[in-house]
Amino acid sequence: MTGNNGKIHALVAGKFTKKDSRVAVRYLSSDDGGAHWTTAINVVNDANLIAVRGNDIQIAGAGTNLVAIWQTTGELPNMGPMVTYYSHDSGITWHAGSNPAVDNNGDQSHIDMIVDAKGVFHVVWLADPEENGYQSLRYARSLDGGEHWQASLKLDDSTCSCCWNTLAVSPAGVLSVLYRDMKPRDMALMQSSDQGVTWRHAGMVGDFKWQFDGCPHVGGGLAVVDEDTLYSTVWTGVEDRAGLYTLRSGNNGKRWSAPQALGGLASHSDIAANKQRVVGVWDERGPDGSSIFSAQSQDGGISWSTPTRLSSAGIMATHPRITLTSHGFLAMWTEKQSKQPGQWVVKILE
């Protein structure tokens, strides 16, 4: 899901029936903050598409240009190349684009994509084209609305292989990527001030010094308000401090505030901000399943409200996302009741 000039763009993936061999990817949009949605338009039916939470399909839009991207299965199960589709007519028709990666081999996963104010599309993902045995963070950009991608760059040679990446862009076009590093297994920040031509390592976001040789499967959330103010949610499994935290930077990621804990058994999270108002969402395990919670700050992340449950009790609700719209904040997640298909849920937050 992505917001663009007051419009929200969304991709959903699923099968029409259990017997279907192909997964349908469909596009829909909202002009009123998520209260009403257009009729879904079919992008493609793909038998090899990988669409799982934590490795989500992605969409970004600028004007009439839209780009969709996801991972497909290649020679090995649950591993394979990225596939892109683009539209130059606001999602009415879609066309196959090129792969931003250097090849169509290996495991290109945990994609995130964003478009800046100049209409340049930026994408990051994890891959190991050199077959080193570990994943690296890669980046590419498109100047023609997703039809072609410039040569990809390696941003970090060694990263955690199972956690999602998060891209954000400031009003002036500064790009920030939040990702989980290898050693330590803390969240790190990479930035570019020249539309992705060059990058620098800006430091750690929550310097927990977590030493862990495994796959936590938890990324983080990142919100950019202006050229100096960033907000983030990060999860750590470090001993005696395991849990979800929120942090704030007032100098474009050079230094971060002390981590503040959010929720109880919380993990997957996201964050959005409008000036001093900050909203965090996360899922949290409990005796009756997994629920979606939200908390708000009215003072730039200094203090936070008591968490509010957004999902119903007794169901499995996971992987929330939140975005700022022209009508406020829109939260979304997927949930599943016992023996029922999964559903996409959206909720406007007052």
Side-chain angles (χ1 to χ4, degrees):
M1 178 182 69
T2 183
N4 167 239
N5 296 330
K7 175 175 283 190
I8 304 168
H9 307 283
L11 283 183
V12 293
K15 296 181 178 181
F16 290 102
T17 69
K18 290 183 179 180
K19 297 181 179 180
D20 288 340
S21 61
R22 294 177 175 267
V23 176
V25 178
R26 313 192 83 192
Y27 163 74
L28 61 163
S29 63
S30 173
D31 290 316
D32 58 6
H36 302 89
W37 295 84
T38 59
T39 301
I41 296 173
N42 204 57
V43 178
V44 72
N45 291 329
D46 192 338
N48 296 317
L49 182 140
I50 296 176
V52 295
R53 299 311 318 273
N55 190 13
D56 295 331
I57 60 178
Q58 302 290 332
I59 188 169
T64 59
N65 292 325
L66 301 171
V67 179
I69 186 169
W70 55 82
Q71 183 192 11
T72 57
T73 297
E75 296 180 358
L76 299 176
N78 300 317
M79 299 178 67
M82 295 182 289
V83 167
T84 68
Y85 277 77
Y86 65 88
S87 172
H88 294 328
D89 55 12
S90 301
I92 298 174
T93 60
W94 292 83
H95 311 276
S98 59
N99 188 340
V102 296
D103 55 38
N104 277 328
N105 300 318
D107 179 18
Q108 300 157 15
S109 62
H110 298 91
I111 310 157
D112 199 26
M113 182 170 56
I114 202 167
V115 61
D116 63 29
K118 295 182 179 180
V120 178
F121 287 82
H122 308 269
V123 62
V124 293
W125 67 95
L126 301 181
D128 179 22
E130 297 87 5
E131 298 184 356
N132 293 316
Y134 47 83
Q135 299 288 76
S136 57
L137 180 65
R138 305 281 168 147
Y139 161 83
R141 67 178 188 172
S142 173
L143 306 180
D144 59 4
E147 293 189 32
H148 306 90
W149 298 86
Q150 295 186 338
S152 63
L153 302 175
K154 184 193 297 185
L155 303 188
D156 192 318
D157 180 65
S158 177
T159 70
C160 183
S161 63
C162 64
C163 297
W164 71 80
N165 309 293
T166 302
L167 265 171
V169 61
S170 74
V174 176
L175 294 165
S176 296
V177 185
L178 180 72
Y179 67 101
R180 191 173 297 280
D181 216 337
M182 179 71 84
K183 293 182 180 181
R185 276 293 207 282
D186 293 334
M187 301 302 290
L189 189 70
M190 193 76 67
Q191 291 183 318
S192 171
S193 58
D194 53 11
Q195 288 194 304
V197 177
T198 60
W199 291 81
R200 65 178 182 87
H201 189 274
M204 311 307 291
V205 185
D207 191 10
F208 296 97
K209 296 179 174 58
W210 182 32
Q211 302 297 330
F212 180 68
D213 186 17
C215 295
H217 295 280
V218 184
L222 183 65
V224 177
V225 176
D226 52 41
E227 300 317 301
D228 296 318
T229 309
L230 286 70
Y231 299 97
S232 182
T233 51
V234 300
W235 182 89
T236 180
V238 69
E239 188 176 359
D240 298 328
R241 296 188 67 188
L244 179 66
Y245 294 85
T246 179
L247 304 92
R248 176 187 184 276
S249 174
N251 52 15
N252 192 31
K254 295 182 179 66
R255 293 183 301 277
W256 291 83
S257 62
Q260 296 187 64
L262 283 179
L265 296 175
S267 56
H268 312 112
S269 69
D270 199 11
I271 195 167
N274 183 14
K275 298 180 181 179
Q276 290 287 297
R277 186 185 179 194
V278 191
V279 182
V281 291
W282 65 89
D283 59 28
E284 185 168 326
R285 299 188 304 277
D288 57 351
S290 177
S291 300
I292 306 300
F293 285 86
S294 173
Q296 298 193 26
S297 173
Q298 304 292 340
D299 54 12
I302 297 175
S303 60
W304 289 83
S305 65
T306 301
T308 300
R309 187 189 335 224
L310 301 182
S311 61
S312 301
I315 61 174
M316 184 62 65
T318 64
H319 291 82
R321 298 292 302 275
I322 189 166
T323 187
L324 175 65
T325 77
S326 56
H327 296 262
F329 292 90
L330 179 70
M332 60 181 291
W333 62 89
T334 49
E335 63 182 35
K336 188 180 186 303
Q337 299 188 36
S338 178
K339 298 181 180 180
Q340 298 295 320
Q343 293 184 323
W344 177 51
V345 180
V346 297
K347 185 179 181 64
I348 299 173
L349 302 185
E350 300 296 334

